[in-house]
Amino acid sequence: YRVLAFYQDLASRTKRLREGEVKLGDTSIRLELQKAPSLAVKVVTRAEGTPIAGASVRLPWTDTEQDHVCDENGEVVIRGLTPEPWRIEVRAKGHAEEKIAVKLGGSDTARVIAELDIGAELYGTVRDESGGGLAGVGVNVYASSPQGIPVAYVKTDGEGKYRLEYLPIDTLRLYISADGFVKSEPRVAITARPGERQEFDITLQKRPYGGAVRGIVVDSDGSPISGATIENHGRSSSQVRSAKSGQDGAFLVEDVFKTMTGHHLVVKA
């Protein structure tokens, strides 16, 4: 358990997620407040510099309140932070999300201006070849820049539907991968007007059977090893096939995956 105290620009900890630990049964807890750094954020449109009222500033990794809303001047002050690097995600309806890294120091107030481009929403359904929706499929979005900067990520719901808000109006690359299906990397030109929605459905093709590997695990003397673990990995962390060797050291790994350099097995005993 952790117990923290905050009051205006004062806080009882100087490191995020590292202080204030207590144990069950503690009857006396002393929290000393000291001046903490703050972050003042002003959100404006990139084109005209107009303040965006109601914009949201999120702290994705914090031990304080995550979401903060800008006032009518597009401004908000986040207090009680810590003198270390922070990351903010700035969102507003009809605009693309902006992610900003800020390094706070001492106990002063750092000031940041977040300039947002116009944006739109992309939604649709990920289906198999029979038209059925695929649940729990990750949809990654990358910018069109050569660096392939990640823009957003979401998983499909129980019906295979996804929704991505705050996307830039640009040509984006999607990356969709699901176990048992061929990965898909379509490019999508966002043509919707600012604040509007654009539909884009995706159909994944069934992955062809990858073949099987049969073998025997033996020690340096040629004797069979029982209970050895044999693993085959593909191009993502979710692509794993595994098997155990029997009493005679024999194993069978079916429907194996292939990496960019070929097929690989890892044997542990």
Side-chain angles (χ1 to χ4, degrees), residues 82-256:
T82 52
E84 55 190 329
W86 286 80
R87 187 178 183 85
I88 60 173
E89 298 172 350
V90 186
R91 299 172 175 178
K93 185 175 178 59
H95 296 80
E97 179 182 81
E98 185 76 11
K99 298 179 181 179
I100 303 174
V102 183
K103 186 174 183 179
L104 301 182
S107 58
D108 296 330
T109 299
R111 300 187 180 278
V112 171
I113 297 179
E115 298 177 322
L116 302 190
D117 291 311
I118 56 175
E121 176 183 327
L122 188 69
Y123 73 100
T125 305
V126 180
R127 299 185 174 92
D128 58 24
E129 293 174 288
S130 66
L134 297 173
V137 176
V139 180
N140 292 273
V141 185
Y142 294 87
S144 59
S145 63
Q147 295 82 8
I149 301 172
V151 174
Y153 171 80
V154 72
K155 280 191 174 183
T156 58
D157 64 15
E159 298 179 343
K161 296 180 180 179
Y162 73 91
R163 179 187 178 192
L164 292 156
E165 300 180 276
Y166 314 112
L167 296 181
I169 296 181
D170 194 0
T171 298
L172 305 174
R173 178 174 64 87
L174 305 187
Y175 179 88
I176 306 99
S177 177
D179 190 21
F181 293 86
V182 178
K183 69 175 181 179
S184 179
E185 297 183 82
R187 291 188 177 273
V188 184
I190 304 297
T191 57
R193 294 181 179 179
E196 293 187 350
R197 308 174 71 206
Q198 180 172 327
E199 185 174 10
F200 185 77
D201 293 333
I202 303 155
T203 299
L204 297 183
Q205 296 180 341
K206 195 72 176 175
R207 174 179 171 271
Y209 181 68
V213 178
R214 189 187 301 272
I216 299 176
V217 182
V218 298
D219 60 21
S220 58
D221 297 324
S223 300
I225 298 179
S226 173
T229 300
I230 300 91
E231 292 184 347
N232 159 246
H233 295 263
R235 298 188 182 186
S236 70
S237 59
S238 63
Q239 294 183 338
V240 180
R241 297 283 186 254
S242 62
K244 290 276 189 181
S245 61
Q247 292 293 329
D248 57 355
F251 69 88
L252 173 64
V253 182
E254 294 194 86
D255 195 15
V256 296

Side-chain angles (χ1 to χ4, degrees), residues 42-46 49-56 70-75 91-93 95 114-117:
K42 183 178 181 66
V43 184
V44 300
T45 61
R46 190 181 301 277
T50 305
I52 304 177
S56 168
C70 294
D71 60 19
E72 64 275 9
N73 297 314
E75 299 178 350
R91 299 172 175 178
K93 185 175 178 59
H95 296 80
E115 298 177 322
L116 302 190
D117 291 311

